[in-house]
Amino acid sequence: MYKLTARQLNKHFLEGSLSAEAIVSYFLKRIEAFDPQVGSFLSLYKERALEKAGRLDQKRALGKPLGRLAGVPISIKDNIHVKGEITTCASKFLANYRAVFDATAVRLLEQEDAIILGKTNLDEFAMGSSTENSGLQKTFNPWNLSCVPGGSSGGSTAAVAARLSPISLGTDTGGSVRQPAAFCGIAGFKPTYGRVSRYGLVAYGSSLDQIGPIATSTEDIAMVMEVLGGHDPHDATTINAHPDEYLSILDSPIKGKVIGVPWKFLEDLPHEAKTLFVESLEVMKGLGCSIVNVDLNSLKYSVATYYIIATAEASTNLARFDGIRYGVRSSKAETLEQIYDYSRTEGFGREVKKRILLGTYVLSAGYQDAYYKQAAKVRVKIIDEFNVAFGHCDIIATPVSPFAAFQQGAIQDPLEMYLQDIYTIGVNLAYLPAISVPCGFNKEQKPFGLQFIGARREDVLVCRMAHAYEKATPFATEIPSIFNREA
Amino acid sequence: MCDLNEDNIKTLGKLCRIEIADEEVPGLVRDLKRVLEYVSQLGQADVSGLSPYSHMEEHGIGSLRNDEVGPCLSREAFLANAPDQVGGMIRVPIVIKQ
């Protein structure tokens, strides 16, 4: 059963060849057997999931209408609220925080009869590219357990790659869905900014954050996106339009599509990643696409721009964690000011503190123009450049990451870690949709990802291109050998 | 452009309510300076004629809902996560001293 996609599981459930209870029990058993090696889950909703499965089986038996995700088990990154359950953001600060409302994305999934298995690990408050910044536990890459899964949605991508959860919801602020999806050899989608409501997602960089699905196939991504997209009065930045239709047009031909490649921006691409990228372009040519060069040279500023804008927004967003209304209050504090100081100092991990300090610095009097305003202008320049590029092509292709998954603890220099996201960050700055699909392995059998970037609101085209590539190549069905067996 | 140093980092910490222990100072200053030096390359970007916030309206950032009372959390739900409470209110140490 672990080899089935979410769409196949849903079909089996609807046809009656698998009960929801059998599906849920099966995946819970896999998680119990394999997750001690992977470390992807922070919490498991065993009773809740089985209870929901029982209700679905009853509904089906009675012939009642079933939702579009009926019988599909899903895991949720632990910075997204599920009412009544703990949301930790992988931070000691929120170790006891119990969500008092559902995130809109979670509500939509459950309305369509998806079954939530539990919550997955992340870099604390989604700040990181390896999941090593989790304040709660380590997560390991299913392809090589000594390596990181990528981040910040590393728990979600590791769970999907090890076939512990057919689908997971992640969040992508600078590449946090796409980069770990590439490191774990699966698909991860970052929708257009505003396509999926952020209500109930604990904010990191509000102008960059976007919830996105992670799965083993683009068809599963499409299935989830048909449910997730849509306007939400609780999030003023959501696009005022109905969800897009994906599945019916996913297979429509891509012949004649023009793919833009920013060769100058990619000039430092390491050999291994470049070889696989060039091979991927050949596949697309074989499918009838043409390749043109596009100028996206301002993307060389994207990491610098991101680390000003994201940290500025983070320092503001994380000001709410004061130890007064929720979260862990320091037991040493005797005065009100000490509650703020001690609770934050004890509750936040090192990377979170660093980003709050950096954000406070770039917003402080005397520096705001030089840092924040300048970064905001460069962001506009990047947006303008993307707009011009999309005048010459339908879609843009780049690698997801310059390297494959690295060893745990191998990167200590913060800047080197930040540069992991050099090919993904521009997408968030420009509010665009993009996907990561598996595009092959290096000699050490570590997966790489191919990224398709669409113009704003061209989410469906992004998925169509990825789907065509996926069908033409054998990589999406590869499973890490140690998990390619029954529990 | 960057004048962050071992003497003023604790002041920066005070601005965002994060205490920095003496032993953390050198490592934090080193890491932050490295990032600040890297981001200072933005000064070289030609952004003449660009307005920093021109794109925000298009993406709904800054759009406001009507200021109307709507449903909100019950007192009970709100207090469920409070670290300390008394009589239906959040308890904090005495703020106004006699």
Coordinates of all heavy atoms in Angstrom, one line a residue, chain B residues 8-83:
Chain B
N8 N 27.8 47.0 21.3 CA 26.4 47.4 21.1 C 25.4 46.3 20.9 O 24.2 46.6 20.8 CB 26.3 48.5 20.1 CG 26.8 48.0 18.7 OD1 26.8 46.8 18.4 ND2 27.1 49.0 17.8
I9 N 25.9 45.1 20.8 CA 24.9 44.0 20.5 C 23.9 43.8 21.6 O 22.8 43.4 21.4 CB 25.6 42.7 20.1 CG1 24.6 41.7 19.5 CG2 26.4 42.1 21.2 CD1 25.1 40.6 18.8
K10 N 24.4 44.0 22.9 CA 23.4 43.8 24.0 C 22.3 44.9 23.9 O 21.2 44.6 24.3 CB 24.2 43.9 25.3 CG 25.0 42.6 25.6 CD 25.4 42.5 27.0 CE 26.2 41.2 27.2 NZ 26.5 40.9 28.5
T11 N 22.7 46.1 23.4 CA 21.7 47.1 23.3 C 20.6 46.7 22.2 O 19.4 46.9 22.4 CB 22.3 48.5 22.8 OG1 23.4 48.7 23.7 CG2 21.3 49.6 22.9
L12 N 21.2 46.1 21.2 CA 20.3 45.6 20.1 C 19.3 44.6 20.7 O 18.1 44.5 20.4 CB 21.1 45.0 19.0 CG 20.3 44.5 17.8 CD1 19.6 45.6 17.0 CD2 21.3 43.8 16.8
G13 N 19.9 43.7 21.5 CA 19.1 42.7 22.2 C 18.0 43.3 23.1 O 16.9 42.8 23.1
K14 N 18.3 44.4 23.7 CA 17.3 45.1 24.6 C 16.1 45.5 23.8 O 15.0 45.5 24.2 CB 17.9 46.2 25.3 CG 18.8 45.8 26.5 CD 18.9 47.0 27.5 CE 19.7 46.6 28.7 NZ 21.1 46.9 28.6
L15 N 16.4 46.0 22.5 CA 15.3 46.5 21.6 C 14.3 45.4 21.3 O 13.2 45.7 21.1 CB 15.9 47.0 20.3 CG 16.8 48.3 20.4 CD1 17.4 48.6 19.1 CD2 15.9 49.5 20.9
C16 N 14.8 44.2 21.3 CA 13.9 43.1 20.9 C 13.7 42.1 22.0 O 13.2 41.0 21.8 CB 14.3 42.4 19.6 SG 16.0 41.8 19.6
R17 N 14.1 42.5 23.2 CA 13.8 41.7 24.4 C 14.5 40.3 24.4 O 13.8 39.3 24.7 CB 12.3 41.5 24.6 CG 11.6 42.9 24.9 CD 11.7 43.2 26.3 NE 11.0 44.5 26.6 CZ 11.2 45.1 27.7 NH1 12.0 44.7 28.7 NH2 10.6 46.3 28.0
I18 N 15.7 40.3 24.0 CA 16.5 39.1 24.0 C 17.8 39.4 24.8 O 18.5 40.3 24.4 CB 16.8 38.6 22.6 CG1 15.5 38.0 22.0 CG2 17.8 37.5 22.6 CD1 15.6 37.7 20.5
E19 N 18.0 38.6 25.9 CA 19.2 38.9 26.6 C 20.3 38.1 26.0 O 20.1 36.9 25.6 CB 18.9 38.4 28.1 CG 18.0 39.3 28.8 CD 18.2 39.2 30.3 OE1 18.7 38.2 30.8 OE2 17.9 40.2 31.0
I20 N 21.4 38.7 25.9 CA 22.6 38.0 25.3 C 23.6 37.8 26.4 O 24.1 38.8 27.0 CB 23.1 38.8 24.1 CG1 22.0 39.0 23.1 CG2 24.4 38.2 23.5 CD1 22.3 40.0 22.0
A21 N 24.0 36.5 26.6 CA 24.9 36.2 27.7 C 26.3 36.6 27.2 O 26.6 36.6 25.9 CB 24.9 34.7 28.0
D22 N 27.2 36.9 28.1 CA 28.6 37.3 27.7 C 29.2 36.3 26.8 O 29.9 36.7 25.8 CB 29.5 37.5 28.9 CG 29.0 38.7 29.7 OD1 28.4 39.6 29.1 OD2 29.4 38.8 30.9
E23 N 29.1 35.0 27.1 CA 29.7 34.0 26.3 C 29.1 33.9 24.9 O 29.8 33.3 24.0 CB 29.8 32.6 27.0 CG 28.4 32.0 27.3 CD 27.8 32.4 28.6 OE1 28.3 33.5 29.2 OE2 26.9 31.7 29.1
E24 N 27.9 34.4 24.7 CA 27.3 34.3 23.3 C 27.7 35.5 22.4 O 27.6 35.4 21.2 CB 25.8 34.4 23.5 CG 25.1 33.2 24.1 CD 23.6 33.5 24.2 OE1 23.2 34.4 24.9 OE2 22.8 32.7 23.6
V25 N 28.3 36.6 23.1 CA 28.5 37.8 22.3 C 29.5 37.6 21.1 O 29.1 37.9 20.0 CB 29.0 38.9 23.2 CG1 29.6 40.1 22.4 CG2 27.9 39.4 24.1
P26 N 30.7 37.0 21.3 CA 31.6 36.9 20.1 C 31.0 36.1 19.0 O 31.1 36.6 17.8 CB 32.8 36.2 20.7 CG 32.7 36.3 22.2 CD 31.2 36.4 22.5
G27 N 30.4 35.0 19.2 CA 29.8 34.2 18.2 C 28.7 34.9 17.4 O 28.6 34.8 16.2
L28 N 27.8 35.5 18.2 CA 26.7 36.2 17.6 C 27.2 37.4 16.7 O 26.7 37.6 15.6 CB 25.7 36.7 18.7 CG 24.6 35.8 19.0 CD1 23.7 36.5 20.1 CD2 23.7 35.5 17.8
V29 N 28.1 38.1 17.3 CA 28.6 39.3 16.5 C 29.3 38.8 15.2 O 29.1 39.4 14.1 CB 29.6 40.1 17.4 CG1 30.3 41.2 16.5 CG2 28.9 40.8 18.5
R30 N 30.0 37.7 15.3 CA 30.7 37.2 14.1 C 29.7 36.8 13.1 O 29.8 37.2 11.9 CB 31.6 36.0 14.5 CG 32.4 35.4 13.4 CD 32.9 34.0 13.8 NE 31.7 33.1 14.0 CZ 31.6 32.2 15.0 NH1 32.6 32.1 15.9 NH2 30.5 31.4 15.1
D31 N 28.7 36.0 13.5 CA 27.7 35.6 12.5 C 26.9 36.7 11.9 O 26.6 36.8 10.7 CB 26.7 34.6 13.2 CG 27.3 33.2 13.4 OD1 28.5 33.0 13.0 OD2 26.6 32.4 14.0
L32 N 26.4 37.6 12.8 CA 25.6 38.8 12.3 C 26.4 39.7 11.4 O 25.9 40.2 10.4 CB 25.0 39.5 13.4 CG 23.9 38.8 14.2 CD1 23.5 39.6 15.4 CD2 22.7 38.5 13.3
K33 N 27.7 39.9 11.8 CA 28.5 40.8 10.9 C 28.7 40.2 9.5 O 28.7 40.9 8.5 CB 29.9 41.0 11.6 CG 29.9 42.2 12.6 CD 31.3 42.4 13.1 CE 32.0 43.4 12.3 NZ 31.7 44.8 12.7
R34 N 28.9 38.9 9.5 CA 29.1 38.2 8.3 C 27.9 38.3 7.4 O 28.0 38.6 6.2 CB 29.4 36.7 8.6 CG 29.8 35.9 7.4 CD 30.7 34.8 7.7 NE 30.7 33.7 6.7 CZ 31.1 33.9 5.4 NH1 31.7 35.1 5.1 NH2 31.0 32.9 4.6
V35 N 26.7 38.2 7.9 CA 25.5 38.3 7.1 C 25.3 39.8 6.7 O 25.0 40.1 5.6 CB 24.3 37.8 7.9 CG1 23.0 38.1 7.1 CG2 24.4 36.3 8.3
L36 N 25.6 40.7 7.6 CA 25.4 42.1 7.3 C 26.4 42.6 6.2 O 26.0 43.4 5.3 CB 25.6 43.0 8.6 CG 24.3 43.0 9.5 CD1 24.7 43.6 10.8 CD2 23.2 43.7 8.9
E37 N 27.6 42.1 6.3 CA 28.5 42.4 5.2 C 28.1 41.8 3.9 O 28.2 42.5 2.8 CB 29.9 41.8 5.6 CG 30.7 42.8 6.5 CD 31.8 42.1 7.2 OE1 32.3 41.0 6.8 OE2 32.2 42.6 8.3
Y38 N 27.5 40.6 3.9 CA 27.0 40.0 2.7 C 25.8 40.9 2.1 O 25.8 41.2 0.9 CB 26.6 38.6 2.9 CG 26.0 37.9 1.7 CD1 26.8 37.5 0.7 CD2 24.6 37.8 1.5 CE1 26.2 36.9 -0.5 CE2 24.0 37.2 0.4 CZ 24.9 36.8 -0.6 OH 24.3 36.2 -1.7
V39 N 24.9 41.2 3.0 CA 23.7 41.9 2.5 C 24.1 43.4 2.0 O 23.3 44.0 1.3 CB 22.5 42.0 3.5 CG1 22.1 40.6 3.8 CG2 22.8 42.8 4.7
S40 N 25.2 43.9 2.5 CA 25.5 45.3 2.1 C 25.8 45.4 0.6 O 25.8 46.5 0.0 CB 26.8 45.8 2.9 OG 27.9 45.0 2.5
Q41 N 26.0 44.2 -0.1 CA 26.1 44.3 -1.6 C 24.9 44.9 -2.3 O 24.9 45.3 -3.4 CB 26.3 42.8 -2.2 CG 25.1 41.9 -1.9 CD 25.2 40.6 -2.7 OE1 25.0 40.5 -3.9 NE2 25.5 39.6 -1.9
L42 N 23.8 44.9 -1.6 CA 22.5 45.5 -2.2 C 22.8 47.0 -2.5 O 22.1 47.5 -3.4 CB 21.4 45.4 -1.2 CG 20.8 44.0 -1.0 CD1 19.5 44.1 -0.1 CD2 20.5 43.3 -2.3
G43 N 23.7 47.6 -1.8 CA 24.0 49.0 -2.1 C 24.5 49.2 -3.5 O 24.3 50.3 -4.1
Q44 N 25.0 48.1 -4.2 CA 25.5 48.2 -5.6 C 24.4 48.1 -6.6 O 24.6 48.4 -7.8 CB 26.5 47.1 -5.8 CG 27.7 47.1 -5.0 CD 28.4 45.8 -4.9 OE1 28.1 44.9 -5.7 NE2 29.3 45.6 -3.9
A45 N 23.2 47.6 -6.2 CA 22.1 47.4 -7.1 C 21.6 48.7 -7.6 O 21.4 49.6 -6.8 CB 21.0 46.6 -6.5
D46 N 21.4 48.8 -8.9 CA 20.8 50.1 -9.4 C 19.3 50.0 -9.3 O 18.6 49.3 -10.0 CB 21.2 50.2 -10.9 CG 20.6 51.5 -11.5 OD1 20.1 52.3 -10.8 OD2 20.6 51.6 -12.8
V47 N 18.8 50.8 -8.3 CA 17.4 50.8 -8.1 C 16.8 52.2 -8.3 O 15.7 52.5 -7.8 CB 17.0 50.3 -6.6 CG1 17.4 48.9 -6.5 CG2 17.8 51.2 -5.6
S48 N 17.5 53.0 -9.1 CA 17.0 54.3 -9.4 C 15.6 54.3 -10.0 O 15.3 53.5 -10.9 CB 18.0 55.1 -10.2 OG 18.3 54.3 -11.4
G49 N 14.8 55.1 -9.5 CA 13.4 55.2 -10.1 C 12.4 54.2 -9.5 O 11.2 54.2 -9.9
L50 N 12.9 53.3 -8.7 CA 12.0 52.3 -8.2 C 11.4 52.7 -6.8 O 12.1 53.2 -6.0 CB 12.7 50.9 -8.0 CG 13.2 50.3 -9.3 CD1 14.0 49.0 -9.0 CD2 12.0 49.9 -10.2
S51 N 10.1 52.4 -6.7 CA 9.5 52.7 -5.4 C 9.5 51.4 -4.6 O 9.1 50.4 -5.1 CB 8.1 53.2 -5.7 OG 7.3 53.0 -4.5
P52 N 9.8 51.5 -3.3 CA 10.0 50.2 -2.5 C 8.7 49.4 -2.3 O 8.8 48.2 -2.1 CB 10.6 50.7 -1.2 CG 10.3 52.2 -1.1 CD 10.2 52.7 -2.5
Y53 N 7.6 50.1 -2.3 CA 6.4 49.4 -1.9 C 5.3 49.3 -3.1 O 4.2 49.1 -2.8 CB 5.7 50.0 -0.7 CG 6.8 50.2 0.4 CD1 7.1 51.5 0.9 CD2 7.5 49.1 0.9 CE1 8.0 51.6 1.9 CE2 8.5 49.3 1.9 CZ 8.7 50.5 2.4 OH 9.7 50.7 3.3
S54 N 5.8 49.6 -4.3 CA 4.9 49.7 -5.4 C 4.1 48.4 -5.7 O 3.0 48.4 -6.2 CB 5.6 50.1 -6.7 OG 6.6 49.1 -7.0
H55 N 4.6 47.2 -5.3 CA 4.0 46.0 -5.6 C 3.0 45.5 -4.5 O 2.3 44.6 -4.7 CB 5.1 44.9 -5.7 CG 5.9 44.8 -4.5 ND1 6.8 45.7 -4.1 CD2 5.9 43.8 -3.5 CE1 7.4 45.4 -3.0 NE2 6.9 44.2 -2.6
M56 N 3.0 46.2 -3.4 CA 2.3 45.6 -2.3 C 0.8 45.7 -2.5 O 0.1 44.7 -2.1 CB 2.7 46.4 -1.0 CG 4.1 46.0 -0.6 SD 4.4 46.4 1.1 CE 6.0 45.7 1.3
E57 N 0.2 46.7 -3.0 CA -1.2 46.9 -3.2 C -1.7 45.7 -4.0 O -2.7 45.0 -3.7 CB -1.5 48.2 -3.9 CG -2.9 48.6 -3.8 CD -3.4 48.8 -2.3 OE1 -2.6 49.2 -1.5 OE2 -4.5 48.5 -2.1
E58 N -0.9 45.4 -5.1 CA -1.3 44.3 -6.0 C -1.5 43.0 -5.3 O -2.2 42.1 -5.7 CB -0.2 44.2 -7.1 CG -0.6 43.3 -8.3 CD 0.7 43.1 -9.1 OE1 1.6 43.9 -9.0 OE2 0.6 42.1 -9.9
H59 N -0.7 42.8 -4.3 CA -0.7 41.5 -3.6 C -1.5 41.5 -2.3 O -1.4 40.7 -1.4 CB 0.7 41.0 -3.3 CG 1.5 40.9 -4.6 ND1 1.2 39.8 -5.4 CD2 2.4 41.6 -5.2 CE1 2.0 39.9 -6.5 NE2 2.7 41.0 -6.4
G60 N -2.3 42.6 -2.2 CA -3.3 42.6 -1.0 C -2.6 43.0 0.3 O -3.2 43.1 1.3
I61 N -1.3 43.3 0.2 CA -0.6 43.7 1.5 C -1.0 45.1 1.8 O -0.8 46.0 0.9 CB 0.9 43.5 1.3 CG1 1.2 42.0 1.1 CG2 1.6 44.0 2.6 CD1 2.6 41.8 0.5
G62 N -1.5 45.3 2.9 CA -1.9 46.7 3.3 C -3.3 46.9 3.1 O -3.8 48.0 3.4
S63 N -4.0 45.9 2.4 CA -5.5 46.1 2.3 C -6.2 45.8 3.6 O -5.8 44.9 4.3 CB -6.0 45.3 1.2 OG -6.0 43.9 1.6
L64 N -7.1 46.6 4.0 CA -7.7 46.5 5.3 C -9.1 46.1 5.2 O -9.9 46.5 4.3 CB -7.6 47.8 6.1 CG -6.2 48.4 6.3 CD1 -6.3 49.8 6.9 CD2 -5.4 47.5 7.2
R65 N -9.6 45.2 6.1 CA -11.0 44.9 6.2 C -11.7 46.0 6.9 O -11.1 46.9 7.5 CB -11.2 43.5 6.9 CG -10.8 43.6 8.4 CD -11.2 42.3 9.1 NE -10.5 42.2 10.4 CZ -10.9 42.9 11.5 NH1 -12.0 43.7 11.4 NH2 -10.3 42.7 12.6
N66 N -13.1 46.0 6.8 CA -13.9 47.0 7.5 C -13.7 46.8 9.0 O -13.6 45.6 9.5 CB -15.3 46.8 7.1 CG -15.5 47.2 5.6 OD1 -14.8 48.0 5.1 ND2 -16.5 46.6 5.0
D67 N -13.7 47.9 9.7 CA -13.6 47.8 11.1 C -14.9 47.5 11.8 O -15.6 48.4 12.3 CB -13.0 49.1 11.6 CG -12.7 49.1 13.1 OD1 -12.6 48.0 13.7 OD2 -12.5 50.2 13.7
E68 N -15.3 46.2 11.7 CA -16.5 45.8 12.2 C -16.3 44.7 13.3 O -15.4 43.8 13.1 CB -17.4 45.2 11.1 CG -18.0 46.3 10.2 CD -18.5 45.7 8.9 OE1 -18.3 44.5 8.7 OE2 -19.0 46.5 8.1
V69 N -17.2 44.7 14.3 CA -17.0 43.6 15.3 C -17.5 42.3 14.7 O -18.5 42.2 14.1 CB -17.9 44.0 16.5 CG1 -17.8 42.8 17.6 CG2 -17.4 45.3 17.1
G70 N -16.7 41.3 14.9 CA -17.0 40.0 14.3 C -16.9 38.9 15.5 O -16.5 39.3 16.6
P71 N -17.1 37.7 15.1 CA -16.9 36.7 16.2 C -15.5 36.6 16.6 O -14.6 36.8 15.8 CB -17.4 35.4 15.5 CG -17.7 35.7 14.1 CD -17.5 37.1 13.9
C72 N -15.2 36.3 17.8 CA -13.8 36.2 18.3 C -13.8 35.1 19.3 O -14.8 34.5 19.7 CB -13.3 37.5 18.8 SG -14.1 38.1 20.3
L73 N -12.6 34.8 19.8 CA -12.4 33.7 20.8 C -13.2 34.0 22.0 O -13.3 35.1 22.5 CB -10.9 33.6 21.1 CG -10.0 33.1 20.0 CD1 -8.6 33.0 20.6 CD2 -10.4 31.7 19.6
S74 N -13.7 32.9 22.7 CA -14.3 33.1 24.0 C -13.2 33.3 25.0 O -12.1 33.0 24.8 CB -15.1 31.8 24.3 OG -14.2 30.8 24.5
R75 N -13.6 33.9 26.1 CA -12.7 34.1 27.2 C -12.0 32.8 27.6 O -10.8 32.7 27.8 CB -13.4 34.7 28.4 CG -12.5 35.0 29.6 CD -13.2 35.5 30.8 NE -13.7 36.9 30.5 CZ -13.4 37.9 31.3 NH1 -12.7 37.7 32.4 NH2 -13.9 39.1 31.1
E76 N -12.8 31.8 27.7 CA -12.3 30.5 28.1 C -11.2 30.0 27.1 O -10.2 29.5 27.5 CB -13.5 29.5 28.2 CG -13.1 28.2 28.9 CD -14.3 27.2 28.7 OE1 -15.1 27.4 27.8 OE2 -14.3 26.2 29.5
A77 N -11.5 30.1 25.8 CA -10.6 29.6 24.8 C -9.3 30.5 24.9 O -8.2 29.9 24.7 CB -11.2 29.7 23.4
F78 N -9.5 31.8 25.0 CA -8.3 32.7 25.0 C -7.4 32.3 26.2 O -6.2 32.3 26.1 CB -8.8 34.1 25.1 CG -7.7 35.1 25.1 CD1 -7.2 35.5 23.8 CD2 -7.1 35.6 26.2 CE1 -6.2 36.4 23.8 CE2 -6.1 36.5 26.2 CZ -5.6 36.9 24.9
L79 N -8.0 32.1 27.4 CA -7.2 31.8 28.6 C -6.6 30.4 28.6 O -5.8 30.2 29.5 CB -8.1 32.1 29.8 CG -8.4 33.6 30.1 CD1 -9.4 33.7 31.3 CD2 -7.1 34.3 30.5
A80 N -7.1 29.5 27.8 CA -6.7 28.2 27.9 C -5.2 28.0 27.7 O -4.5 27.1 28.3 CB -7.4 27.3 26.8
N81 N -4.5 28.9 27.0 CA -3.1 28.9 26.8 C -2.3 29.8 27.7 O -1.1 29.9 27.6 CB -2.7 29.1 25.3 CG -3.0 27.9 24.5 OD1 -2.4 26.9 24.6 ND2 -3.9 28.0 23.5
A82 N -3.0 30.6 28.5 CA -2.3 31.6 29.3 C -1.4 30.9 30.4 O -1.9 30.0 31.0 CB -3.3 32.5 30.0
P83 N -0.2 31.3 30.5 CA 0.7 30.6 31.5 C 0.3 30.8 32.9 O 0.6 30.0 33.7 CB 2.1 31.4 31.2 CG 2.0 32.1 29.9 CD 0.5 32.4 29.7

